[in-house]
Amino acid sequence: MNKDTMVVVGGGQAGGWVIKTLRSEGFTGPIVLISAETHPPYERPPLSKNLLRNADAISETALLSEADLESAGVEAWLGDEVVEIDRAGRTVRCASGREQEYHRLFLTTGSRPRIPDWMAASRSGRAHVLRTIDDASSLRAGLASTGHLVIVGGGWIGLEVAASVRDMGIAVTVVESASRLCQRSVPEPVSHWLRTLHEGHGVTFLMGRSVEGLVDEADHIGITLDDGSMLVADRMLVSIGAVPDVALAQSAGLEIYNGIVVDETGQTSDPAIFAAGDVTNFPCSFAGCATRRESWANAQNQAIAAGKAALGQAVHYAELPWLWSDQYGHNIQIAGLPEKAGEVLFAPGPEGATGVWLSLDHDRRPCGAIGVGAPRIFRPVMKALKNGGEIDLGGWEAVNNAEVQ
Ligand SMILES: Cc1cc2nc3c(=O)[nH]c(=O)nc-3n(C[C@H](O)[C@H](O)[C@H](O)COP(=O)(O)OP(=O)(O)OC[C@H]3O[C@@H](n4cnc5c(N)ncnc54)[C@H](O)[C@@H]3O)c2cc1C
């Protein structure tokens, strides 16, 4: 056993970027990647977008191919799961029985979809979640014979799937238990804009409603709602959020609180173990508190920081929270913490492009922004949010729900 061995558990966005970073920063020792999925590290954003419409869009997910892993000298154990960490012996044990010693261990186990009890009992194969390439393939195959799709959950993934599926001419009903869309990440005027956008494309919303049960029939499903009514559909997607995959870290006795607790370098409560991506709860300097983020940018940038830190470099992960969504040809960018708004201002984009919403916190300080089709307005706002710079509020107007179409 080589005493330098770096072991990466989880081959998603963060796991892939730990490996890329270790090699680009000059680490020449052994790297072992162990991932439960059979696919080499890939990116998930296309799964709810192009990949639902077009199987060839699989190429958009590529992060590290098997050939890339091989040429980087990475030993990849794909389709195997780490079930135990022996911290004293610095060894991981897999479901297959294989064991591997480590010098430094990276936990990039991500998050997994929240699955309600009523869904777990369904046997028809008509109720889907969307996290992996295999989930996307299964949903895409099912959509070929779907006239009506019910989506439970009006968050980003649910809305992206609604947009993709409407483009395919399939009827969509979204059931959302909150009173507005994407409530946890955007202020009310943006929820309103999203709803108007989708209704304009024929999506039906049942807001303030939750699902209580599912009835499997031979050629359809019945979905019982909390008001006693039943929706009939060919298929459903359940996208009601994700939970951090902490089981392994928890059983190893690492500190857990809404994710694996790490410091600003990605180090866990065990100095030999780092973590990055959706699974971590990290000190966010912008938020001024510990937070967990599920975003492509966080998975990549935190993994880069953790990889460097494990090589002994001085790092301090302090990125501005940022994510994006694509719906009906609109690229929607969300920076900072716009959901903390006490007040929302709006600047329209040029020539019919939508514009930028700016959230001010309760002290009237900018705390986040959402941009749609107006990069010249959005980019300097994002820069100011990142660097703590001033934003001239002169050209901005207060906005209420109904103003922006
Ligand atoms: C459908 C979809 C669309 C998205 N679109 C966007 C978008 O448009 N913009 C954006 O900013 N973000 C988007 N995201 C979020 C972004 O993709 C995630 O934040 C990112 O994938 C997190 O990366 P990760 O490496 O932390 O976790 P993951 O990508 O979830 O990878 C974790 C991996 O670890 C494996 N694993 C778990 N436990 C073990 C174990 N014990 N042993 C071995 N392997 C294990 C899992 O099987 C998985 O392969 C989207 C996510 C999804 C699901």
Side-chain angles (χ1 to χ4, degrees):
M1 147 74 191
N2 187 318
K3 288 293 173 206
D4 283 348
T5 304
M6 302 284 194
V7 174
V8 180
V9 181
Q13 178 90 23
W17 274 97
V18 166
I19 291 169
K20 282 162 89 88
T21 305
L22 291 174
R23 286 296 185 237
S24 65
E25 294 299 311
F27 176 71
T28 53
I31 302 177
V32 178
L33 166 68
I34 308 172
S35 191
E37 289 185 68
T38 52
H39 306 279
Y42 65 94
E43 301 190 347
R44 297 181 197 272
L47 307 189
S48 47
K49 307 177 183 74
N50 287 345
L51 195 57
L52 285 185
R53 292 179 290 243
N54 176 10
D56 292 341
I58 189 85
S59 58
E60 295 174 19
T61 65
L63 177 58
L64 279 174
S65 65
E66 292 200 34
D68 293 333
L69 291 170
E70 200 179 325
S71 66
V74 176
E75 195 178 321
W77 301 0
L78 302 179
D80 205 352
E81 196 172 340
V82 175
V83 290
E84 191 183 336
I85 304 169
D86 169 4
R87 286 169 53 194
R90 290 202 182 176
T91 302
V92 294
R93 193 168 59 77
C94 294
S96 64
R98 286 188 287 190
E99 294 190 350
Q100 175 63 51
E101 287 181 60
Y102 62 85
H103 171 59
R104 293 287 178 265
L105 177 65
F106 296 86
L107 298 178
T108 53
T109 50
S111 51
R112 54 176 72 206
R114 188 171 280 132
I115 297 183
D117 292 344
W118 50 259
M119 181 182 174
S122 172
R123 296 281 167 269
S124 68
R126 291 173 181 274
H128 297 256
V129 292
L130 183 54
R131 182 78 201 171
T132 65
I133 283 181
D134 296 343
D135 293 338
S137 303
S138 155
L139 180 56
R140 189 180 57 246
L143 289 173
S145 57
T146 296
H148 180 206
L149 177 74
V150 168
I151 297 174
V152 184
W156 295 113
I157 291 178
L159 293 182
E160 287 187 348
V161 172
S164 304
V165 165
R166 282 304 297 142
D167 283 351
M168 297 158 77
I170 296 169
V172 175
T173 304
V174 174
V175 181
E176 166 58 57
S177 58
S179 60
R180 62 184 181 87
L181 301 172
C182 294
Q183 182 171 282
R184 284 183 298 137
S185 51
V186 296
E188 193 162 0
V190 182
S191 297
H192 180 82
W193 177 81
L194 285 165
R195 182 167 174 175
T196 306
L197 174 71
H198 280 266
E199 285 178 336
H201 284 83
V203 174
T204 301
F205 288 97
L206 299 177
M207 303 301 293
R209 287 268 80 86
S210 54
V211 176
E212 294 205 324
L214 183 59
V215 184
D216 287 332
E217 301 288 354
D219 59 353
H220 68 271
I221 45 177
I223 300 155
T224 321
L225 302 183
D226 56 350
D227 63 355
S229 62
M230 182 175 273
L231 281 173
V232 174
D234 301 300
R235 200 160 291 283
M236 78 191 295
L237 171 73
V238 178
S239 52
I240 55 170
V243 286
D245 207 336
V246 295
L248 178 64
Q250 195 153 30
S251 65
L254 296 178
E255 188 183 351
I256 307 289
Y257 178 77
N258 182 30
I260 303 174
V261 175
V262 296
D263 66 13
E264 66 286 345
T265 71
Q267 194 172 64
T268 68
S269 51
D270 179 334
I273 305 179
F274 291 77
D278 282 15
V279 75
T280 63
N281 189 328
F282 63 95
C284 173
S285 51
F286 186 80
C289 61
T291 182
R292 196 174 74 76
R293 314 278 323 163
E294 292 171 11
S295 82
W296 177 93
N298 178 60
Q300 172 177 309
N301 295 330
Q302 200 188 19
I304 293 172
K308 289 181 176 176
L311 295 176
Q313 297 181 24
V315 297
H316 185 111
Y317 176 63
E319 297 283 329
L320 177 74
W322 176 78
L323 63 95
W324 87 93
S325 175
D326 292 322
Q327 299 174 31
Y328 307 110
H330 291 285
N331 177 248
I332 305 164
Q333 300 205 37
I334 303 106
L337 302 169
E339 72 276 17
K340 303 277 183 221
E343 185 183 340
V344 182
L345 306 179
F346 182 75
E351 290 167 30
T354 302
V356 176
W357 288 266
L358 179 66
S359 290
L360 304 181
D361 66 15
H362 293 279
D363 297 320
R364 289 206 94 228
R365 281 188 307 245
C367 60
I370 296 105
V372 184
R376 287 205 180 151
I377 307 173
F378 186 73
R379 264 194 234 115
V381 168
M382 190 162 155
K383 197 168 163 197
L385 288 169
K386 192 171 181 169
N387 304 331
E390 287 287 308
I391 298 174
D392 178 4
L393 300 181
W396 297 77
E397 291 181 2
V399 65
N400 65 40
N401 293 344
E403 282 174 16
V404 184
Q405 298 297 322

